[in-house]
Amino acid sequence: MKKTWLFFLFAFLWLTGCYVPESIETSLPMENSADKYFENQQVEFFAWNGSVMCKIGNIYYYSLHNFMHFYDTKTGIHDFLCGKPECDHTDPKTCNAVLETENFLAAYDGWIYNVNYEKEEHVLFRISTDGAIRERVCTIPDPTGWNGLIALHQDAIYVSKTNQEVINGKPAGHFTFYCQKIGTEKPELIFAKEAMFIDRNHFLFVDDELYFSISYLDEMADGADYTRLTELWNYHVSSKEWELLWQGALPGNGQLESFWPKDGKLICGVLDWEQERDMILTFDIGKKEFEAPIYIGEEFLNLDVSEKYVITSGGVECFYIFDHEGRQVGFYDLTPESEGEVLGPDGTFMGTDGDAVFVQVKHAVFDGEREHVKYAVYRLTPVADAEKMDEVEIIGMLE
């Protein structure tokens, strides 16, 4: 099954009036233990690949069907983040809540940051916490591409992506990783990689350090199976120095999806492509070696590691939560109840604030006349039922 998926992937690449929350003071206390990873940021929330959710004070900010929403944990109120009472939230030129790209949100220095596409450029914007102000900050490198990621750390934005092409009949992947100071127009290339095919990259900041992984397929001999290689790097933000921690093939021709630093180790979520299973691999940073793998279930192509948990999803709306030792501590089936035909379900990890995991579920229901598409955000905790925080329904998508 996985070789079939890989074949199609290669073929594709080759052919190809609102409630307004009160303004938040900029000197908020840090309460979550994950905040040590963001020492100079006003962040109480860790977001995974894509960074589609953030938190300031008691308010979560997140994207929901190309709109920026908020959820106030004190009042339970959720709505569009737009400070214009008469706005109908349809025109991106006038509505502060409309997002043209929904793959990046971050909180820093009392503002919410987002990237939009404007005049053939990718522009970093910042939005006030009450939704009343949206300002252009600067252009950034083009983040579009395979496994493109954006993150904001301290006073800089980081952009990584892969471009895949065919040269003389052979696949060629080009990976680039940029750093750019907020408000400047000068991105700096800090890492680059050339390989036959780039699978995944993932990075996470710990104060002045950046941990970074990249998985890729190297050249293959005629008739031989492919070999997936992985590199683990450490980057010092202030000195701009890179250190290669490990390079090689993971068990099961594995693909590293995400990791979390803990007690001098990296807790890694890895896909075993040979056995089609998820596994937890712990990397000892001091010894520069991996410990024995812990298998936790089938391989679902969705695998993330947080401060406390390892999260996988199956059936696109079913989510499994494990601890770092591989014990299952939670399961949620978020498949909607509907009398119509359920079309195109999709589940996405949004992040974690330590004790809880946040996911977004999208599903479409056809009632015989029109298609109804619903987007919902859930807060999952292993000790409680799933809590639906917000939902948007779009009607008539087929018309």
Side-chain angles (χ1 to χ4, degrees):
M1 179 179 69
K2 300 311 171 194
K3 290 185 178 180
T4 302
W5 178 88
L6 184 64
F7 170 81
F8 283 109
L9 179 60
F10 272 109
F12 171 77
L13 290 169
W14 294 346
L15 295 174
T16 65
C18 310
Y19 166 88
V20 179
E22 296 180 359
S23 298
I24 307 299
E25 297 294 333
T26 58
S27 56
L28 291 174
M30 298 291 196
E31 297 177 354
N32 181 12
S33 59
D35 293 334
K36 61 185 178 181
Y37 300 121
F38 303 91
E39 182 179 5
N40 296 318
Q41 285 186 249
Q42 190 173 297
V43 174
E44 296 182 0
F45 190 89
F46 172 75
W48 289 304
N49 300 358
S51 302
V52 293
M53 195 172 191
C54 60
K55 183 184 179 185
I56 295 181
N58 59 287
I59 300 178
Y60 292 99
Y61 300 88
Y62 48 93
S63 61
L64 195 57
H65 182 55
N66 292 327
F67 293 95
M68 188 182 302
H69 283 234
F70 70 89
Y71 177 83
D72 191 320
T73 59
K74 288 185 178 180
T75 64
I77 295 176
H78 53 85
D79 210 330
F80 294 92
L81 183 67
C82 179
K84 300 179 179 181
E86 304 302 322
C87 185
D88 61 2
H89 318 301
T90 59
D91 186 353
K93 295 180 180 180
T94 60
C95 178
N96 292 344
V98 176
L99 304 175
E100 294 182 13
T101 57
E102 56 177 333
N103 65 339
F104 174 71
L105 288 176
Y108 177 70
D109 197 26
W111 293 83
I112 310 300
Y113 285 80
N114 170 248
V115 175
N116 273 346
Y117 190 68
E118 181 181 85
K119 297 180 180 180
E120 300 184 352
E121 292 182 321
H122 293 271
V123 180
L124 181 67
F125 285 86
R126 66 177 190 175
I127 302 95
S128 61
T129 55
D130 61 1
I133 303 172
R134 183 169 70 171
E135 299 177 344
R136 186 185 190 280
V137 178
C138 59
T139 59
I140 67 167
D142 182 357
T144 58
W146 172 248
N147 197 208
L149 304 178
I150 307 175
L152 192 153
H153 180 65
Q154 297 177 359
D155 61 347
I157 191 166
Y158 293 77
V159 179
S160 68
K161 68 168 183 175
T162 298
N163 291 112
Q164 199 75 27
E165 60 180 335
V166 177
I167 300 178
N168 297 326
K170 294 183 178 181
H174 312 281
F175 173 81
T176 52
F177 195 179
Y178 290 92
C179 169
Q180 182 175 337
K181 293 291 184 181
I182 294 176
T184 70
E185 301 289 339
K186 296 181 179 180
E188 176 186 2
L189 180 66
I190 61 174
F191 189 94
K193 182 73 178 182
E194 305 286 329
M196 184 186 75
F197 182 77
I198 309 292
D199 261 348
R200 286 287 191 273
N201 76 97
H202 180 69
F203 58 90
L204 178 64
F205 292 93
V206 182
D207 298 330
D208 189 54
E209 293 183 299
L210 164 70
Y211 288 97
F212 166 73
S213 69
I214 184 168
S215 298
Y216 55 93
L217 305 185
D218 213 352
E219 290 289 345
M220 298 182 295
D222 292 340
D225 289 338
Y226 63 86
T227 299
R228 177 177 290 101
L229 299 177
T230 296
E231 296 177 4
L232 276 175
W233 291 85
N234 176 247
Y235 176 72
H236 290 269
V237 176
S238 57
S239 65
K240 300 182 180 181
E241 295 180 352
W242 286 93
E243 178 189 4
L244 180 62
L245 300 177
W246 187 88
Q247 181 183 34
L250 296 171
N253 207 14
Q255 174 178 297
L256 201 160
E257 290 287 293
S258 65
F259 53 76
W260 187 271
K262 180 180 179 180
D263 301 328
K265 298 181 178 181
L266 295 179
I267 311 299
C268 304
V270 177
L271 307 182
D272 185 326
W273 281 64
E274 294 180 354
Q275 298 191 42
E276 299 183 4
R277 300 179 64 185
D278 297 329
M279 61 180 167
I280 302 172
L281 275 180
T282 300
F283 179 76
D284 190 307
I285 299 174
K287 296 180 180 180
K288 296 184 179 180
E289 62 183 22
F290 282 97
E291 300 175 359
I294 302 173
Y295 286 94
I296 58 175
E298 295 183 3
E299 188 270 288
F300 299 121
L301 291 178
N302 267 320
L303 179 62
D304 281 271
V305 182
S306 72
E307 180 185 9
K308 295 184 179 180
Y309 307 120
V310 178
I311 302 93
T312 68
S313 69
V316 296
E317 292 179 336
C318 296
F319 296 87
Y320 301 80
I321 302 179
F322 300 84
D323 61 21
H324 289 170
E325 286 69 44
R327 295 182 290 264
Q328 183 174 325
V329 295
F331 169 75
Y332 301 89
D333 185 350
L334 304 181
T335 305
E337 296 182 1
S338 174
E339 297 180 357
E341 180 184 2
V342 178
L343 308 172
D346 187 21
T348 304
F349 297 113
M350 301 183 72
T352 176
D353 62 358
D355 292 327
V357 173
F358 297 83
V359 298
Q360 181 177 147
V361 172
K362 178 185 73 174
H363 72 275
V365 177
F366 184 61
D367 62 8
E369 296 182 0
R370 294 185 300 178
E371 185 180 17
H372 303 247
V373 180
K374 289 186 178 181
Y375 299 78
V377 175
Y378 289 87
R379 182 178 186 267
L380 311 180
T381 52
V383 296
D385 294 333
E387 172 193 357
K388 182 185 289 187
M389 294 172 49
D390 200 352
E391 185 176 64
V392 169
E393 182 175 6
I394 310 299
I395 301 176
M397 298 294 289
L398 296 180
E399 294 180 349

